[in-house]
């Protein structure tokens, strides 16, 4: 029987997904994204697996996430691209963590850190916002950033190793327009005297469907964890396998009469005499409350629906007349090809996306790693 509240992480599936996506995208180079604790799967074991499986670079959102990997002894190249006003660029340089900057202020802060470290030609990247209106250098100020970067290169303080952007995955026309803008800004950077070695724009979705976005490197995130970024194509159709299985033992099972209220607010009342099984996972563990009366679980090879509101620590499923007992394994999601619900099923029930489902799994849920 599995441990109480457990997420099993199949590291072999993650390594296999890297190989499959590298082949299907024909990627020259792959940055494996392990931000947000590797999308809830566990940053250190996942990063180690991906580095061993041939990822060319690892990606985190911020420097603190990258430092966790360095402290764990992971020596693979790391890039991070989201920085607060007090970002510790000194630590990044000291631990050989490459940063992508999004402003002249960040560029100057990295240069100051390089000078304090007496480091020469510290490699950095520049992130360009080509349409998402969030992190990245806005196109109308890109010229000033490129000019300042060229000055710092001439001083041998930094070296602009790469340029990056992120497409919106709105529609092919929108994504191609972003790619065209990125290409023009790359030309502007070169005209300013920069010589970036690596260009990248594509995350999993664009890498799979927009060949023009692949450039020198693709950034694979959700696909590495076996989850599809698309509404119209499943993981199985993409040739990838979900790595996380969320499970818990049934904590209680009771027979109730027709009309029995279930959980807070009695949003569900039983229509007939039935058996209710209690699953000890709730919104404190990442089970979305928005999926109340909509999520499903697998118990004993059959699929049952959640009834009543998801509570902080538990929710209820109606198993009818099936002989479900305390201690039986309840699987909330995993690999749908094995007859269990998927993260997509829970995402649909909660009106969200599969990224949200796996990254929200909380610290009470033990991670157990397999390499089978």
């Amino acid at each position: 029987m599995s441990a109480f509240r457990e997420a099993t992480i199949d590291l072999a599936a993650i390594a296999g997904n890297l190989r499959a996506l590298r082949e299907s995208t024909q990627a020259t180079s792959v940055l494996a994204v392990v931000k947000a604790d590797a999308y809830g799967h566990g940053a250190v074991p996942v990063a180690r697996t991906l580095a061993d499986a041939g990822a060319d670079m690892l990606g985190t959102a911020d420097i603190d996430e990258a430092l966790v990997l360095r402290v764990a002894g992971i020596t693979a190249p790391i890039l991070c691209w989201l920085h607060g006003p007090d970002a510790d660029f000194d630590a990044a340089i000291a631990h050989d963590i490459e940063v992508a900057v999004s402003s002249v202020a960040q560029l100057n802060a990295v240069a100051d850190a390089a000078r304090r470290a007496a480091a020469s030609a510290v490699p950095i990247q520049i992130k360009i916002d080509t349409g998402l209106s969030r992190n990245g250098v806005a196109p109308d100020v890109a010229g000033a950033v490129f000019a300042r970067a060229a000055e710092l290169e001439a001083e041998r303080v930094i070296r602009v190793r790469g340029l990056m952007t992120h497409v919106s995955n709105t529609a092919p026309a929108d994504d191609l327009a972003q790619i065209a803008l990125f290409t023009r800004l790359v030309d502007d950077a070169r005209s300013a005297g920069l010589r970036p070695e690596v260009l990248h724009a594509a995350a999993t979705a664009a890498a799979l469907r927009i060949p023009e976005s692949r450039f020198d490197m693709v950034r694979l995130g959700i696909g590495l964890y076996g989850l599809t970024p698309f509404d119209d194509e499943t993981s199985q159709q993409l040739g990838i396998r979900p790595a996380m299985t969320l499970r818990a033992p049934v904590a209680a099972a009771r027979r109730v009469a027709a009309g029995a209220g279930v959980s807070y607010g009695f949003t569900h009342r039983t229509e007939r005499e039935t058996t209710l099984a209690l699953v000890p996972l709730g919104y404190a563990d990442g089970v979305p409350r928005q999926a109340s009366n909509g999520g499903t679980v697998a118990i004993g090879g059959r699929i049952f629906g959640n009834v009543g509101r998801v509570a902080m620590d538990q929710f209820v499923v109606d198993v009818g007349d099936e002989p479900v007992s305390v201690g039986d394994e309840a699987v909330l999601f995993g690999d749908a090809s094995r007859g269990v619900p998927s993260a997509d099923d829970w995402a649909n029930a909660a009106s969200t996306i599969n990224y949200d489902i796996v990254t929200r799994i909380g610290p009470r849920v033990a991670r157990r790693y397999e390499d089978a």
Side-chain angles (χ1 to χ4, degrees), residues 186-242:
V186 169
D187 289 341
D188 290 347
R190 288 173 172 150
S191 296
L194 303 179
R195 294 292 179 266
E197 305 163 13
V198 59
L199 308 176
H200 50 115
T204 302
L208 285 166
R209 292 194 173 177
I210 305 176
E212 298 91 338
S213 72
R214 294 170 186 162
F215 292 101
D216 304 304
M217 183 167 71
V218 299
R219 301 186 304 270
L220 299 180
I222 196 68
L224 293 175
Y225 306 99
L227 301 178
T228 177
F230 305 122
D231 294 330
D232 59 354
E233 199 167 10
T234 66
S235 298
Q236 192 169 11
Q237 289 169 326
L238 292 174
I240 55 180
R241 186 156 55 89

Side-chain angles (χ1 to χ4, degrees), residues 68 137 187 236 246 298 312 349 370:
V68 169
V137 176
D187 289 341
Q236 192 169 11
L246 180 63
M312 186 180 293
E370 297 180 341

Side-chain angles (χ1 to χ4, degrees), residues 79 98-101 124-130 137 142 145-146 149 153 159-166 181-192 194-202 213-217 219:
L79 175 69
E98 194 167 319
V99 299
V101 300
I124 67 160
Q125 300 197 27
I126 297 174
K127 186 173 185 185
I128 302 169
D129 174 17
T130 54
V137 176
V145 175
F146 298 154
E153 280 200 339
R159 174 173 63 90
V160 178
R161 200 181 73 85
L163 300 176
M164 65 182 289
T165 192
H166 199 306
L181 176 57
F182 180 59
T183 301
R184 290 198 298 274
L185 291 170
V186 169
D187 289 341
D188 290 347
R190 288 173 172 150
S191 296
L194 303 179
R195 294 292 179 266
E197 305 163 13
V198 59
L199 308 176
H200 50 115
S213 72
R214 294 170 186 162
F215 292 101
D216 304 304
M217 183 167 71
R219 301 186 304 270

